Amino acid sequence: MTLWRSGPQRFSVYFFWMPYEWSSPLEHAQLSAKCSHQPGLRLSLSAHNALSREGFVGFIGATAALMAVPLLAFLGHTVLWVIAAALGSALCAIWLALKASWRHGQVREEFELWSDLAILRHISPSGQLQEWRANPYWVEVQISKDDGPVPEYLTLRGGGRVVEIGAFLSQDERQLLATDLKLAFLNAARKC
């Protein structure tokens, strides 16, 4: 995924590997009213997963193969079954831990912005949807250094509520996202 950011030059673009992606560069977004049905900006955030499906299969396969190597020394002995059971249990525990971590990492957030409406959707790993709507002109992007469950806690205040965004991102990623969101809301307020 890429994140577009303006640099010191007027139209320079830098690409970062980030767990979030804007639909277009923030400086060139065409924000129109909600009646246009298509948001001017769309942001997709997802928790970072270190392993792809292929990586997961490869890791479990390689781990199983490496665990089988010591068993060769015990071929023909009755202790082989005790060691095989212990190694099999360890492999199952690794499998279950990685699957649980993977499921937990399937949280995602979708943000859409028009000149007169901002929508944030939080989709949990179980599929539960939470939605927040506000007028972008009145939305305030807040980043709290120490007042939150994570450092650099990022929230949006508007529509009578305060909602978190990107809690699963790293500290640096939340700072970059806060800067981008401030710019996006500033552009939306100019279109009102």
Side-chain angles (χ1 to χ4, degrees):
M1 285 185 263
T2 57
L3 167 69
W4 288 274
R5 301 210 16 101
S6 62
Q9 295 86 20
R10 186 172 172 177
F11 293 108
S12 64
V13 177
Y14 298 102
F15 294 97
F16 294 99
W17 288 100
M18 299 288 269
Y20 68 90
E21 178 179 14
W22 288 100
S23 59
S24 65
L26 297 173
E27 298 82 10
H28 305 295
Q30 300 295 321
L31 296 174
S32 59
K34 171 69 169 119
C35 62
S36 69
H37 301 291
Q38 280 291 75
L41 274 175
R42 184 171 284 154
L43 171 67
S44 299
L45 299 106
S46 58
H48 178 70
N49 281 324
L51 284 177
S52 64
R53 290 187 185 276
E54 296 81 18
F56 177 79
V57 170
F59 177 77
I60 292 297
T63 303
L66 289 172
M67 286 180 155
V69 170
L71 293 177
L72 296 175
F74 297 101
L75 286 176
H77 294 78
T78 54
V79 77
L80 170 76
W81 297 110
V82 174
I83 296 172
L87 292 176
S89 297
L91 187 62
C92 284
I94 291 170
W95 175 287
L96 293 173
L98 286 175
K99 286 298 251 185
S101 173
W102 205 2
R103 240 180 285 131
H104 180 67
Q106 289 179 336
V107 64
R108 69 182 199 279
E109 294 175 344
E110 296 170 357
F111 176 75
E112 296 176 333
L113 183 64
W114 291 265
S115 63
D116 60 346
L117 181 66
I119 300 175
L120 176 65
R121 292 182 188 92
H122 178 86
I123 300 105
S124 69
S126 66
Q128 181 185 6
L129 175 70
Q130 296 174 324
E131 189 173 278
W132 168 83
R133 293 171 177 254
N135 184 329
Y137 186 78
W138 300 107
V139 172
E140 182 182 352
V141 178
Q142 298 176 325
I143 190 154
S144 303
K145 301 285 183 203
D146 300 318
D147 296 339
V150 293
E152 305 295 329
Y153 187 58
L154 181 59
T155 58
L156 302 175
R157 174 187 224 115
R161 291 176 41 202
V162 176
V163 294
E164 71 178 11
I165 182 169
F168 47 80
L169 299 175
S170 73
Q171 185 174 347
D172 294 335
E173 291 165 345
R174 282 191 297 277
Q175 289 174 345
L176 286 173
L177 181 58
T179 303
D180 289 348
L181 286 170
K182 287 176 184 177
L183 179 60
F185 281 115
L186 183 64
N187 289 342
R190 288 181 185 156
K191 305 287 184 189
C192 285

